[in-house]
Amino acid sequence: MSELSETSVATQQRSPHLLSRWSWRELWQGQLWPVAVALTLIIACVFALSALVVRVEKIMTDQGRSVLAADLVLVSGNPIDDGILASASQRGLTVSAQTRFGTMAFSDENMQLVSVKAVANDFPLRGNLALSSGGAARVQSQHVQPGELWLAERLFSLLAVKEGDDVMVGDAQFTVSGLIAQDPELSFNPFSQMPAVLIHYDDIARTGAVQLGGRVQYRMYFVGADDAVASFRQSIELQAGQRWISESTQGRTGDLIDRARQYLSLTLILVIIMASATLVLTCQHYTTSRRETVAMMKSLGARKAWLWRWLAGQLLMLFAFAAVLGVGLGALLETLLRLPLGDILPDPLPPMGLMPVLTSILVALLVAIPGMGISLIKLVNTPAIAVMQPEGSAQSGSGLFSVSQASPWRFGLVLVPLGALLIWFGDNTLMWLTLLGLAVMLFLLAVIGVAVVALLRKKRWGPAMQLALSRIGRSPLATGAQLAALTASLMLLAVIWLLRTDLLADWQQTLPSDAPNVFALNISEAETQPYLAALDEQNIAHSSMYPVIRGRLVASNGKQFLKGTQTQQDNTNTRVESDQEQSDEALRRELNFTWRESPPVHNKVIAGAWGGEGTVSVEQGIAERLRIQVGDELAFTVNSQPFSAMVGSIRQVEWRNMRPNFYFIFSPDVVAELPATFLVSFRIGADQSPLLNQLGRDYPTVSLMDLRIMASRIQLMLQQVSLSLSVLAALGVVSGLLLVLTLLRLGLSQRQQEMKLYRTLGASRQRISATVWSEYGMMALIAGLMATMGAEGMVAALVHFGFELSPQWHPSLWLGLPVIAVGLVLALAQSMLPKLLQPLKS
């Protein structure tokens, strides 16, 4: 470009064809390759990640809906109005009805309280219902027909029946059709479960069990297009006793899916941030390398308009090239990312549609506008005098992080992606918390980094280290920017992996390996010791025996719940009842109470103290919802018998661990005299069904809740989500490593001119190498330690405020991340130093 003449510039300005050819040659032979690679990286990573996110989210959603047996379920304590069904039909939704009720089942020999599910022909609308009959030659069916009766496995032994026998359900006589091998609907409340039977919806009237005022639950199942289901749900105003169930509200599975979605979104955001930083760095490097060229062109008569056409041609070809290559590489990367999931992903895979392509190109464009535009505006505004004036003489600092004297209005381009973020993630608290935390963290890390370097410079070091520290501390602003950029890249990749680790650790508590999978209920006091002895004889691990009574919470400090009245005149205790209290489900049904001398080992007391006569320990969630505090006086009723207790402690309860848990645990003196039954939980293997049946025969009045099938299904879902998040986390870490390597590579490249100066002044190759090793080793160590602190703080905030989990400490990170940082720097320096020192050879 130094051979450019004024005539050639004028000719190029007059000839669009020659301008295009020149732009193409500049693209292939100039310094735009790093920018093209960065854009390709953004498009490929966003495409691969968004495509995998779309597939995994659809899979998780389908998994969640399969355990609902539908896309959306309406649960009601009263018959559901026909207008709701009409509204669903108008939107093209498929509807299936179900009624649930409890009643007695009678065989010739025994009787048993059962939970009846009366279902329609098309149940389930999602998932699989497996019904098995036919003796040795089993025949599988997926739908219940009129007149059929299907029993849970345990009922065959409890009722002493086999296929073909007659069983009375309420007033109706049925012939046993066979076994319920698999029911898609999961239920997690062992206290309210009874052995299940399936009958057809048309046979409800024959049973005579559904009576006015009886405890009956009505359900409607809906399936259809997502937008139609969402529109239908918004159009329905729920009445008292009604609620929706969807994949995001279904207990453990809903919690799992919701947090997995949050992690997927967060990972995508962090990958975009890191890829964007890579683009900004490479574009700044390009701007620096072409500054003298632009100055030369201006000195020979090139105008800004022509320069913009010249650059626009290059950038248009560059973006088209990056889009094609990025989408292609992204598709390949998404395929590779799915390889570890091959055994658990469904076949065929859910389609990903065009959204990943559009998203990746749009994200790259939004990032490129400020990422490239700010640097290019600076480049076009380069004065002609810059041909003779080095960039560093007109600026504070040098290199990639120099401070330009150009007009600051160009930084307004940052508002373009920020506006898109506002539209795209306007109500995503987790995303804004991440960005705000990252911005604050960057500022703090930059300040800390500069302070650490200043402190180190006060100490006496060897010549190489002294020269390295002098180089680092030459410009506090540039040093702070360099350390902040390196620290941020290390911190972000650590955040992605630590969040994944914390989420998986939390999900392991959803169903720990030793979680009980059978509950024995309704054990009489006389049977407690024999029953425990029977379990011990078979070496079955079990919980303590818990007494259970059923009652209601009716008042707090003299204030009656659900009635809106105030019975106590003390103004200090007067408070207005909230809508949340009025609608809290725990107030509208009987709860399971128990009493203990000591707290359960799987509960944690977080306020007050355990024990004391006349006290009750309250679960944290219900205490927060009903504003119950330590020292409050609570009133209860059991079988219309009132009693009260003072709140002695608040407990943190992990409801997902499938262990016996209670809202209220009393001191024995409060309720020990009330009649109670007992429960115990234990764990048996898949091959121990005969033992379970033997317990059912030996203790016919004890209800056994076998949750093994449900537990295995949760474990499968957990496995799918965990492996998917591990793959996504690995992709995020790879993106972070690419950013770190790009940052270090460009930083080392800019040292080449300084190395020439050092050599001219008589510095040896060994001294120059030692100085570079010391400089970047020290920066890597400082950045690694600061990234560790930043990652711990950021993960703690995200886990607590975003995922509503308890923050964890990560001791291995404090050693691992600094070692990784130093290792990356040393490896890169080892590979680049010989090339950088090549011009110095004699």
Side-chain angles (χ1 to χ4, degrees), residues 30 126 166 179 510 532 767 780-781 798:
R126 297 276 191 191
D166 291 335
L179 168 72
T510 298
L532 292 178
R767 175 61 56 83
L781 183 60
L798 289 173

Side-chain angles (χ1 to χ4, degrees), residues 550-568:
R550 292 186 63 81
R552 292 179 180 270
L553 171 65
V554 295
S556 173
N557 293 328
K559 182 197 123 210
Q560 298 291 319
F561 288 114
L562 300 180
K563 292 185 179 181
T565 59
Q566 187 71 29
T567 61
Q568 184 166 323

